[in-house]
């Protein structure tokens, strides 16, 4: 049964905004708020066009724009199906796992590495240790609704807290830190973008050369200690950062 029948769409035909774009925006909003859940069927383009009084090409263009964004997929013999909503993460000192959980994205973690390693220069500078000194390297693949969203590589000072692979699979790093009595106070963060290498593309289920968001973050506790240096990669097709900008007085 078509899931769109219970949804209400308001289209302004006097607006300069194209009708296909208005429809696409409202479909995307329905996906984000859960009105169209992952796995649900959007239904027949002809039926949706008739219901809204739109031409079939207009509806097809709206749907295709969401297919291109990775929110919908056309499956032969099934129809147009909701895949997932894009993760929109506020820029604040929070764990990706907690943000996904709060958004109903069913987070999961695949542990790739947990080991003591010599600190590379950038890690040593961030954590305030000597280059080559031992640090804990934690590498994970973070999933939402069973699909990879981000590749996370974190370095921590040795002895900061005990990390267990089984526990890490079901919770976020920051939650473990807080449980261990570490008070997270502030962070220094840099965001960028680049094309995926072949290895990164394979890991994140993207084509080689696909755009990835990058984030580097050094986190400090309430004593001013650097407690974590993270270098993360996010699928731009599944993930975005939200900023709130204030005008200067």
């Amino acid at each position: 049964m078509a899931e769109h029948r219970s949804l209400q769409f308001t289209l302004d035909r006097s607006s300069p905004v194209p009708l296909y774009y208005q429809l696409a925006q409202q479909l995307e909003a329905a996906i984000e708020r859960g009105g169209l859940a992952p796995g649900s069927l959007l239904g027949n383009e002809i039926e949706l066009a008739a219901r809204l009084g739109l031409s079939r090409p207009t509806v097809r263009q709206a749907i295709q724009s969401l297919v291109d964004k990775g929110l919908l997929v056309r499956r032969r013999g099934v129809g147009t199906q909701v895949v997932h909503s894009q993760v929109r993460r506020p820029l604040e000192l929070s764990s990706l796992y907690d943000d996904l959980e709060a958004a109903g994205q069913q987070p999961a973690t695949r542990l790739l590495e947990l080991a003591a390693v010599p600190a590379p220069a950038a890690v040593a500078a961030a954590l305030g240790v000597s280059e080559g000194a031992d640090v804990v390297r934690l590498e994970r693949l973070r999933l939402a609704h069973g699909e990879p969203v981000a590749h996370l590589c974190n370095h921590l000072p040795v002895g900061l807290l005990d990390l267990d692979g089984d526990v890490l699979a079901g919770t976020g790093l920051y939650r473990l830190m807080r449980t261990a009595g570490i008070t997270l106070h502030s962070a220094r963060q840099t965001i960028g973008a680049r094309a995926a290498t072949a290895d990164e593309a394979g890991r994140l289920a993207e084509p080689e050369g696909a755009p990835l968001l990058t984030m580097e973050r050094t986190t400090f506790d309430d004593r001013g200690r650097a407690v974590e240096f993270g270098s993360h990669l996010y699928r731009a097709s599944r993930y975005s950062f939200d900023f709130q900008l204030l005008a200067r007085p």
Side-chain angles (χ1 to χ4, degrees):
M1 180 173 146
E3 298 288 342
H4 67 74
R5 293 173 186 167
S6 62
L7 298 174
Q8 299 297 318
F9 300 100
T10 303
L11 303 176
D12 183 358
R13 287 170 167 78
S14 66
S15 170
V17 178
L19 290 174
Y20 90 87
Y21 188 79
Q22 293 184 48
L23 178 57
Q25 289 291 95
Q26 292 182 49
L27 284 170
E28 183 171 353
I31 293 171
E32 289 181 355
R33 65 173 180 262
L36 286 170
S40 61
L41 292 174
L42 188 59
N44 189 292
E45 289 180 6
I46 298 176
E47 180 185 353
L48 183 57
R51 177 188 160 197
L52 298 176
L54 297 173
S55 68
R56 189 177 177 187
T58 296
V59 172
R60 186 183 300 117
Q61 189 174 7
I63 290 174
Q64 185 60 48
S65 70
L66 298 187
V67 170
D68 293 341
K69 293 178 76 170
L71 301 180
L72 300 175
V73 64
R74 289 189 171 97
R75 302 191 188 281
R76 182 172 298 177
V78 176
T80 304
Q81 193 170 29
V82 178
V83 181
H84 45 60
S85 59
Q86 188 180 54
V87 178
R88 293 186 177 179
R89 186 180 183 185
L91 274 184
E92 57 188 32
L93 188 51
S94 62
S95 164
L96 174 58
Y97 190 98
D98 292 342
D99 289 341
L100 292 172
E101 190 173 62
Q105 292 281 339
Q106 299 176 18
T109 302
R110 188 177 303 156
L111 182 63
L112 303 178
E113 183 182 11
L114 175 57
V117 300
V123 172
L127 295 180
V129 301
S130 300
E131 184 176 354
D134 278 353
V135 292
V136 175
R137 186 177 192 274
L138 172 61
E139 185 181 1
R140 295 162 294 165
L141 193 65
R142 183 59 46 76
L143 302 96
H145 294 298
E147 293 191 12
V149 174
H151 175 254
L152 314 175
C153 182
N154 299 79
H155 290 85
L156 296 82
V158 169
L160 181 71
L161 75 164
D162 292 328
L163 294 176
D164 179 271
D166 292 336
V167 175
L168 282 165
T171 191
L173 178 60
Y174 284 1
R175 190 180 299 179
L176 291 177
M177 287 185 172
R178 293 186 179 102
T179 300
I182 299 169
T183 301
L184 304 178
H185 178 267
S186 61
R188 185 170 59 245
Q189 180 168 285
T190 302
I191 294 172
R194 61 176 175 77
T197 65
D199 287 346
E200 293 164 349
R203 187 180 293 123
L204 292 170
E206 290 280 359
E208 184 176 355
L212 299 178
L213 296 173
T214 66
M215 183 183 78
E216 286 194 349
R217 175 191 281 180
T218 305
T219 305
F220 303 89
D221 68 2
D222 58 348
R223 295 160 53 189
R225 295 183 304 169
V227 294
E228 173 247 353
F229 174 70
S231 181
H232 300 173
L233 291 173
Y234 302 89
R235 296 173 64 184
S237 63
R238 290 288 323 271
Y239 195 92
S240 64
F241 290 102
D242 276 353
F243 297 79
Q244 182 177 9
L245 305 178
L246 301 176
R248 288 183 177 178

